Structure formats: C-alpha cells, structure tokens
Amino acid sequence: MTFAASSPPPSAISPTTFTRRRALGAFLALPALGLLTACGGSATAGNPAVDQASLAPLATSVPAGTTIKVGDPTVKVALELSGLNKELDGFKVEFANISGGPQTTEAFRANALDVGSVADIPPIHATWTGLDVRIIASAYRQDAVNHPIYELGIAPGAGISSLQELRGKKIAYSPGQAQGALVLRILEKAGLAQDDVKLVELPSTGDTYSTALASKQVDAAPLGGVQIKRYLAKYKADGGTTLRHGLRDDPGHLYSPAKVLADPAKAAALAAYVKVWGKAQRWIEDHPGEWLEGYYVKDQGLSREDGQYLIDTAGKRDLPTSWAEGIQRHQQTIDLLAREQKKPQLKAGDLYDTRFEAIAGTAFAEAAKDGAA
C-alpha cells in the first residue's frame, strides 16, 4: 500500500474521537436539494439513490491500480504506529486531513473523498440534503452510559443539578451536529419540549461552548472529551459544574457515497480498509501507552495528563459483527430529529451497506485472539 499525501483545505477540526463531531454550524446552510422520502433513501432529482440490492458482492481481491481517498486521520496514525499499514498492500490509499460531518460531506460532493469518519448524525443530514451515503463500519463503547463522550456543562450560578432543572434555561444547540441531537435527546429524557427551554444556536467548535458557559451566554452546553476536564479545571472554583446525561452518545462510523460503493474496485478496496480499520481499533485498545505517546502527545500535542484522561474516559471499544442493535438506536435518533427538526422520515437501515456488516467486528475480534499486530 502507498500512503499518498493529499492536499485538502486546511482543517480546523482535530481528528480525535473527542473533537471529530465539532461540526460547523454551516452544515445546515447546505442547500436543500430536492429532498425525497423513500424506503431506498433520498436523492437529488436526476441523481437517484443507489438500490442496495443492485450492488455486486464484494470482490475478494482489489484490482491493480485502485485508489481510495480516506478522511480518517486518527486511524492513519494508528496504522503507522502499529505497522498495520503493511496489510494494505496492492492499492493506493490517499489520506486527507478531513474529519467531521460538514467537511466530509462537502468533500463527497466534490468527489474528493471516498470514505470519512463521523458520528451518527452526518449520514442522516447528508441524506436529508440529497447526498446518497452508506455506513460501512461502526464502533461503539462498552458500558457507554458510564463512559459518555459528552457531559452537560453547567454555567456558574445556573442552578442546574438535574435534567429537569433545564426548564426555562438557555442551552447551546448545534442542529447539524451530534451535540445538537444529544440536546434533543436530553430534553426528551427530562420530559421537556423545545418550547420549555431556550435553544441558543452555536457551532461547537474549539472552546466555543466553554466560553459561552463561562460568560453565561448559555446556562448549559454539551462538552466533549478534554473540554470537560479543562472546563472544570478553569471554572469549578467559580461554580461551573458538569452533569451526566445518562444516555448513549457513543456511535462512530465510516461512511461513503453510494456511488463510490457501486464501483466494484473501490468497494473491494474499502472492504480491505475496513478490515484493517477494525484491527487498528483493537491495537489502540491493547497499546494505550504507545497510543498515548504516539497519538495524543506527538500527533495531537496534548499533555500526557490530558491524553491519559481521554484513554481512561473512553473505556473499552465494541465493534459488533451485527448492526441490528445499532440500526435500531439509529432509527430512534432519526425519528426524534425528523419530529423535532421537521425533516422527512428515513429508514435507518437504508443508511447501511450490509455487505460490510461483519468485516470490522470480525477483524477486531480476531486481532484480540492473535494478539494484534
């Protein structure tokens, strides 16, 4: 395999698991391209959705000369650190420093990317904007409720110690991001409607939410990863706190444009990539010291303390060989967003390319048996 340098636009989104969902608020500014509601997914006029049943079985080998463009910067580092990149011989992989829903979706539209790494919201919104996409790999967290990606940051003096006390409060809200969907799920759990609170639309980029909390622009905001630790370190003395939401917020996916997956050569290369991606997830889990130094410290520039915090809070990975439960949870999210954001209904199962279902999970399990690379 050849790792080729790509020349994407400069990325302001860190490729780590704790920031890849920091989508830009401009995601919702994408034009509505003739949204259609159908069992087979959504598509633009003149660009119909690809029928899953029409896709050929995955080839067992990758044709010579095949290239795939990958927006998965975190796993790029894992492949290099582990030596698993040697298992991708026979075709070319061009890694782009692109992650998060808005950047990935725009790269798909420009035919500049074949696969991207995101949470569960971008494939939904991509479909709603007329881009036919499919998920080809999924990863979750074991004991996800006790190892959340996000906690609800509470502003000093806001007087919020339970979800029910969000009534009448100002909450940071990013409609096209995982954080925005989480806010709606939190309200649903608390028995509150959007009209019971004031949603303040803010893109979750950098420390925007922490700053908004500290300045009391909002009373509550979902904070992710190291932002939780930093917010408490900086503002706890002033009364800033965080509140666990008690929900799963852990989905992570690889997804691709359906037209890419309809290309037998690219589909075969993506299947090979997904297999090694599954092994890389196991390697990360089994080599926390090497991952701390090689990724969090050297690649991301974090302190060892912050990196170790992220490793500890992530818990153990779960890469299932069946997507049934994940699709069911994804459908619940779609139903909530369709209702609360006045969007067309979708079938979650239509967002998945089932040819890939067992690949990552099987590789993850086998890597554990083999001791990984």
Side-chain angles (χ1 to χ4, degrees), residues 16-259:
T16 64
T17 56
F18 60 93
T19 56
R20 65 181 179 175
R21 295 170 173 81
R22 297 186 328 194
L24 301 176
F27 190 85
L28 288 185
L30 293 172
L33 301 174
L35 297 177
L36 303 176
T37 304
C39 292
S42 296
T44 60
N47 184 27
V50 172
D51 182 1
Q52 183 68 32
S54 71
L55 298 175
L58 295 172
T60 56
S61 61
V62 183
T66 303
T67 297
I68 56 171
K69 300 172 184 177
V70 178
D72 196 3
T74 302
V75 169
K76 176 180 183 291
V77 178
L79 297 179
E80 294 169 343
L81 291 173
S82 65
L84 284 166
N85 50 4
K86 300 183 181 71
E87 296 192 16
L88 289 175
D89 289 333
F91 61 99
K92 187 176 181 180
V93 177
E94 295 180 352
F95 276 97
N97 189 26
I98 293 175
S99 59
Q103 283 195 330
T104 301
T105 299
E106 287 306 293
F108 285 165
R109 293 186 188 281
N111 299 317
L113 203 66
D114 295 317
V115 62
S117 177
V118 293
D120 58 342
I121 306 306
I124 300 171
H125 278 274
T127 304
W128 276 333
T129 59
L131 183 63
D132 191 12
V133 296
R134 306 290 161 82
I135 291 165
I136 61 173
S138 295
Y140 306 93
R141 292 181 173 187
Q142 296 181 26
D143 193 19
V145 170
N146 291 314
H147 292 87
I149 293 173
Y150 301 103
E151 293 185 20
L152 204 57
I154 307 300
I160 300 170
S161 58
S162 71
L163 299 185
Q164 287 71 27
E165 290 174 343
L166 290 169
R167 183 183 295 274
K169 302 298 186 179
K170 296 177 291 184
I171 306 173
Y173 179 60
S174 46
Q177 301 181 253
Q179 294 95 324
L182 178 61
V183 166
L184 296 179
R185 294 176 64 215
I186 288 171
L187 293 180
E188 183 181 49
K189 180 179 179 179
L192 301 174
Q194 290 190 50
D195 291 342
D196 293 325
V197 300
K198 183 177 180 181
L199 297 180
V200 180
E201 291 199 17
L202 290 172
S204 178
T205 55
D207 60 357
T208 300
Y209 279 7
S210 295
T211 301
L213 288 166
S215 63
K216 301 185 181 180
Q217 182 180 357
V218 297
D219 299 304
L223 301 177
V226 77
Q227 288 290 342
I228 299 169
K229 177 176 178 288
R230 291 174 178 173
Y231 177 71
L232 292 174
K234 194 169 184 179
Y235 299 110
K236 188 174 182 178
D238 298 326
T241 61
T242 62
L243 181 64
R244 288 282 182 97
H245 50 68
L247 297 164
R248 293 194 68 144
D249 62 4
D250 60 323
H253 304 293
L254 295 181
Y255 76 134
S256 297
K259 65 181 181 181

